[in-house]
Amino acid sequence: MTSLLELKQYIKRFYIRYEAYISYIWKFLLALITILMINSKLGYMEALTNMAIIMMASLLCAILPPNFIVFMAALFTVGHLYSLAIECALIACIIFLLMFLLYFRFSPKDTLAVLLTPLFFMMHIPYVMPLAMGLLGNPFSVVSVSFGLVIAFMLNYFSANATSFGSEGVQEAANEFQSIISGIIGNKTMVVMIAAFAVALIVVYIIRRASVDHSWKIAIAAGSIALMIALLVGSLAAETDISIPGVILGTVISAALMLVVEFFAFNLDYNRTEKVQFEDDEYYYYVKAVPKVTVSTPERKVKKINRTSKQQR
């Protein structure tokens, strides 16, 4: 445990020292991975699959605010769908417009939730996001996670049904437009997952805010159980094809990852808990103070030895 705490301190110091450079690097990598994921799922506009374009877009995202990555991902998605069918691009524009209006209104700082939810969805462990945002976010993070799920299902839908798009004629285009809306918005699996993720996120948030020992660990366990129950009940009620064994395995893996997050973000020493009571002219205050687990890391000292003696001949 001591070695892990020392590693945590080293990582913290390293991040503080090189925070500016690390910020550029993680934004570049996140933008690059997001664009590559979009190109792998869609990839209908050849110009947007050019590696030079991808690298320039990722570098631009690295030097701009994180929310620009979401905007760039939307541009690549709409561009590919425009090459597929204008109806697809129009529906994607409507979804992204709604997302930007609600996202920037309620949770503008949850850029990672919007981008990582589709990425974890492609990795078959999207259950990380409601647990993570319940621990690190707020109740409005439900908006960001929900739109991340909508984007993931939208990409899957367009990728799986690409051959059925591109009809000619006004009537055929209208029918295709309605079919696309029904295929995305009417997806029962997506609706069940959004509802279950919202329940789990709120449960985690409420418990981790409670003044009880090991609140984060309890929140992770309760949120994981709530997530599995909500998905099971929703799947049975809506008759979806959600894999229950996959849900259980994915939730267990997600909970394990959240324990790692808890160690780095909220590792407290409950054995040294102090309760303080004081008052002023209007109130009595009862304060519970729990110190963080810390360990002093050994300082490395480098001794320089200068040789000034000269060899005599």
Side-chain angles (χ1 to χ4, degrees):
M1 178 59 76
T2 303
S3 59
L4 291 176
L5 292 173
E6 290 180 356
L7 176 62
K8 175 183 175 180
Q9 292 296 106
Y10 281 127
I11 293 174
K12 184 178 179 180
R13 289 183 181 181
F14 181 82
Y15 180 81
I16 293 174
R17 185 175 181 180
Y18 301 103
E19 182 178 1
Y21 303 104
I22 294 174
S23 176
Y24 292 134
I25 292 172
W26 77 255
K27 286 190 291 184
F28 170 77
L29 292 176
L30 181 59
L32 179 63
I33 294 171
T34 300
I35 294 173
L36 290 176
M37 184 267 293
I38 293 172
N39 287 346
S40 67
K41 296 297 292 185
L42 302 178
Y44 305 118
M45 182 177 286
E46 186 176 352
L48 296 181
T49 60
N50 186 289
M51 200 60 197
I53 300 295
I54 295 173
M55 294 300 294
M56 286 190 292
S58 301
L59 288 172
L60 185 62
C61 292
I63 61 177
L64 290 175
N67 284 328
F68 189 78
I69 304 176
V70 181
F71 178 73
M72 185 62 68
L75 284 181
F76 269 76
T77 302
V78 172
H80 286 303
L81 294 178
Y82 180 79
S83 294
L84 178 63
I86 191 171
E87 298 87 359
C88 300
L90 181 59
I91 291 176
C93 285
I94 294 173
I95 292 175
F96 282 124
L97 180 60
L98 290 173
M99 181 188 75
F100 286 128
L101 290 175
L102 295 174
Y103 164 67
F104 286 113
R105 171 65 180 84
F106 293 104
S107 53
K109 296 182 180 180
D110 287 346
T111 304
L112 291 178
V114 177
L115 296 172
L116 292 180
T117 300
L119 293 178
F120 280 116
F121 186 89
M122 302 304 171
M123 297 167 61
H124 304 290
I125 50 171
Y127 318 106
V128 168
M129 295 313 300
L131 301 180
M133 297 313 298
L135 293 176
L136 305 174
N138 56 67
F140 292 117
S141 300
V142 169
V143 176
S144 303
V145 174
S146 298
F147 273 110
L149 280 175
V150 172
I151 293 172
F153 277 95
M154 181 182 70
L155 293 177
N156 275 350
Y157 177 81
F158 287 129
S159 177
N161 300 278
T163 57
S164 61
F165 302 130
S167 60
E168 298 180 357
V170 177
Q171 184 62 38
E172 290 79 3
N175 293 335
E176 189 173 281
F177 189 85
Q178 184 177 2
S179 175
I180 295 172
I181 294 178
S182 300
I184 298 176
I185 306 301
N187 191 317
K188 293 181 179 180
T189 302
M190 183 185 72
V191 174
V192 169
M193 290 190 70
I194 289 175
F197 279 28
V199 170
L201 192 152
I202 297 298
V203 168
V204 173
Y205 176 80
I206 292 174
I207 296 177
R208 69 97 169 170
R209 296 271 298 176
S211 179
V212 296
D213 292 354
H214 306 286
S215 59
W216 278 43
K217 289 184 175 67
I218 298 172
I220 293 170
S224 301
I225 295 172
L227 179 60
M228 289 187 287
I229 292 176
L231 285 173
L232 175 61
V233 173
S235 179
L236 294 176
E239 298 181 352
T240 63
D241 56 350
I242 297 177
S243 173
I244 302 304
V247 168
I248 296 174
L249 179 61
T251 304
V252 170
I253 294 174
S254 301
L257 292 175
M258 289 306 100
L259 290 176
V260 177
V261 172
E262 188 265 348
F263 174 78
F264 282 97
F266 194 78
N267 191 20
L268 303 183
D269 186 359
Y270 290 100
N271 293 325
R272 295 190 292 135
T273 301
E274 297 181 5
K275 294 183 179 181
V276 183
Q277 176 183 344
F278 57 94
E279 64 176 294
D280 59 15
D281 293 337
E282 297 180 356
Y283 295 96
Y284 276 97
Y285 299 91
Y286 299 89
V287 179
K288 178 181 179 181
V290 185
K292 295 181 179 179
V293 177
T294 58
V295 62
S296 59
T297 55
E299 296 290 340
R300 295 182 178 179
K301 295 182 179 181
V302 179
K303 185 177 181 181
K304 295 183 179 180
I305 302 175
N306 296 324
R307 295 183 178 180
T308 58
S309 60
K310 297 181 179 180
Q311 183 178 4
Q312 296 180 355
R313 295 182 179 179

